[in-house]
Amino acid sequence: MYLLLRNLKRLALPSSCRFISNYVSRMRHLFDLKENDEACRKALSSGSFLLFHSLSPLMQKTENKYTVPFVTASELYRILRKLGQKEKYLEESVLLGCTDSYLAQFALDLGIMEKAKAESLLQGTFVDLRKAFLLLDGKNAQMLSQAQALLRWHNTHLYCSKTGHPMQKNVSGSRRICSSNGTIYYPQMSPVIITLVSDGTRCLLARQEAFPSGMYSALAGFCDIGETVEQAVHREVAEEVGLEVSSSKYAASQHWPFPNSSLMIASHAMVQPGQIKITLNQFELEDARWFGAEELAEALRRERMPSKKEMGTIPFWIPPPWTIAHQLIKEWTQQKQLC
Ligand SMILES: NC(=O)C1=CN([C@@H]2O[C@H](COP(=O)(O)OP(=O)(O)OC[C@H]3O[C@@H](n4cnc5c(N)ncnc54)[C@H](O)[C@@H]3O)[C@@H](O)[C@H]2O)C=CC1
Ligand SMILES: [Mg+2]
């Protein structure tokens, strides 16, 4: 009965597309591809693919612009053959989404193949994702973030953590199943808070030693088990800069692939009146400072990471426009300049 209902539901999908919005019908189509291995296998043969090598995405440069190409299935079959792989390798792909015309989009890592040969056949370069993020716009970066996080999760969950037996991925990559006892594992994300602390006239940005030179960002930190988002904001600000938050307000969220896969939950926070003395936690941060609206407005006007050659020394700069940190800084600065 269940199977009959499932099949009827699946059969009903294309005709129902006439009555519901494109978005809803695409989401139903994707749900079907995630749940149904046969449908997803079929979608692989007409889909398009973002390619990675050892988790570094393929990028192509045309004039001064970097793009992230989607390679068609037929082109990919041809390249796999030239790299000595069988067509079956396509099933290592993970499903990302689908186009407005229901063509499925996947990501595939060619890490077991020769990198230089793959780059030459694909006329592109596999670029470290952190570097790629500084060269791309928001839409491309968000797609790469999702793709790399999913590929990484599969790559690091080859065995069941309970039985030690190998796990198999379903065709879409929405889960892995233990070959011994059937336990299902789903891709995981860690909740991370990111908060822009303000004293009413300035806001606080900080940098870690590992950040690129000159870059400052909002305070961020992983949520502890058992904590609410508000508690995590309170604790992280106290831990990292020794200040006490009096209120915080949710702003937005963003998926972030580093160091594994995080859901960044962004907020604006205020400190207790008069509490503005920063006590830096030197295990976590290299520096933290208060910045005024003028200084931030200037940083927002700069499009990209400043070049050393142009500027002599690297001035203060903030994360790229599509990052949630940038969005928080922009919102705060716009609000201050309206006042
Ligand atoms: N998208 C954006 O605009 C921004 C994103 N971020 C991201 O926020 C994340 C968290 O920021 P941090 O200041 O590094 O966090 P953090 O302040 O919690 O410190 C990191 C330390 O937390 C510990 N930790 C606890 N749970 C962890 C987990 N699930 N995974 C890894 N480490 C864990 C580790 O000891 C690690 O060294 C980073 O991944 C960073 O890339 C940071 C700033 C801007
Ligand atoms: Mg932190």
Side-chain angles (χ1 to χ4, degrees):
M1 185 62 168
Y2 169 73
L3 279 178
L4 180 67
L5 283 174
R6 233 180 100 128
N7 285 335
L8 278 175
K9 198 170 123 194
R10 199 170 295 138
L11 285 172
L13 263 177
S15 57
S16 64
C17 295
R18 286 199 294 270
F19 308 109
I20 56 182
S21 76
N22 179 270
Y23 173 78
V24 172
S25 57
R26 276 191 295 122
M27 293 309 110
R28 297 263 170 98
H29 177 61
L30 281 175
F31 177 80
D32 195 40
L33 295 184
K34 281 189 213 158
E35 295 301 310
N36 176 352
D37 280 354
E38 262 326 298
C40 195
R41 206 168 271 122
K42 207 167 152 215
L44 278 171
S45 61
S46 58
S48 58
F49 297 77
L50 278 183
L51 298 177
F52 287 71
H53 192 282
S54 307
L55 300 177
S56 293
L58 177 77
M59 293 183 78
Q60 290 174 336
K61 193 176 176 189
T62 40
E63 288 159 16
N64 274 337
K65 203 172 172 333
Y66 286 88
T67 55
V68 182
F70 266 104
V71 175
T72 62
S74 54
E75 176 67 357
L76 191 52
Y77 283 138
R78 190 182 68 78
I79 284 160
L80 287 178
R81 274 196 298 275
K82 289 201 169 169
L83 290 167
Q85 288 297 321
K86 298 216 164 74
E87 289 184 358
K88 183 87 180 150
Y89 191 77
L90 235 61
E91 288 193 24
E92 298 299 316
S93 306
V94 292
L95 178 69
L96 301 176
C98 72
T99 64
D100 283 352
S101 47
Y102 304 92
L103 284 178
Q105 295 168 310
F106 297 90
L108 178 65
D109 197 306
L110 306 180
I112 61 162
M113 293 160 225
E114 201 191 314
K115 187 175 162 200
K117 195 166 175 193
E119 285 180 329
S120 142
L121 287 167
L122 290 158
Q123 297 178 335
T125 314
F126 294 106
V127 180
D128 177 80
L129 188 61
R130 284 190 189 271
K131 204 171 152 199
F133 270 11
L134 297 172
L135 305 169
L136 291 171
D137 62 27
K139 196 168 165 239
N140 281 318
Q142 200 186 338
M143 232 164 34
L144 288 187
S145 166
Q146 175 199 8
Q148 199 223 38
L150 203 48
L151 290 170
R152 185 197 296 276
W153 182 79
H154 282 283
N155 199 343
T156 50
H157 289 77
L158 300 177
Y159 299 95
C160 173
S161 58
K162 186 154 181 150
T163 67
H165 281 85
M167 292 209 286
Q168 258 105 46
K169 122 178 167 11
N170 66 341
V171 179
S172 71
S174 64
R175 55 182 173 252
R176 292 187 80 86
I177 302 129
C178 171
S179 57
S180 156
N181 68 2
T183 304
I184 298 174
Y185 293 80
Y186 294 96
Q188 289 163 342
M189 293 189 292
S190 302
V192 172
I193 63 90
I194 178 160
T195 190
L196 190 64
V197 175
S198 167
D199 69 351
T201 53
R202 298 166 302 166
C203 71
L204 193 152
L205 300 180
R207 56 171 280 109
Q208 298 177 7
E209 210 184 338
F211 282 8
S213 304
M215 191 186 91
Y216 281 71
S217 187
L219 297 176
F222 291 91
C223 294
D224 282 348
I225 286 207
E227 251 179 357
T228 62
V229 167
E230 292 77 5
Q231 287 166 339
V233 170
H234 224 96
R235 176 186 53 75
E236 276 294 330
V237 175
E239 265 178 26
E240 298 199 345
V241 291
L243 293 170
E244 195 168 344
V245 160
S246 56
S247 64
S248 66
K249 192 164 175 245
Y250 173 78
S253 65
Q254 176 179 60
H255 179 260
W256 192 245
F258 310 118
N260 290 305
S261 185
S262 303
L263 177 63
M264 307 289 305
I265 305 158
S267 62
H268 290 278
M270 294 291 293
V271 281
Q272 300 274 10
Q275 277 205 31
I276 49 165
K277 189 175 176 317
I278 298 169
T279 325
L280 201 67
N281 180 339
Q282 288 173 336
F283 288 105
E284 302 252 348
L285 298 174
E286 188 182 76
D287 190 25
R289 284 200 269 139
W290 292 104
F291 291 82
E294 275 309 313
E295 207 175 351
L296 294 178
E298 196 189 322
L300 285 164
R301 279 194 291 272
R302 272 186 228 120
E303 287 243 309
R304 295 224 179 271
M305 171 181 171
S307 135
K308 264 184 203 165
K309 278 184 195 153
E310 278 169 31
M311 319 293 291
T313 54
I314 295 266
F316 147 69
W317 60 289
I318 56 175
W322 51 268
T323 62
I324 202 133
H326 188 105
Q327 199 178 314
L328 284 173
I329 296 167
K330 191 171 177 180
E331 275 170 12
W332 185 88
T333 308
Q334 279 173 346
Q335 205 203 19
K336 284 294 141 205
Q337 290 183 332
L338 286 178
C339 296

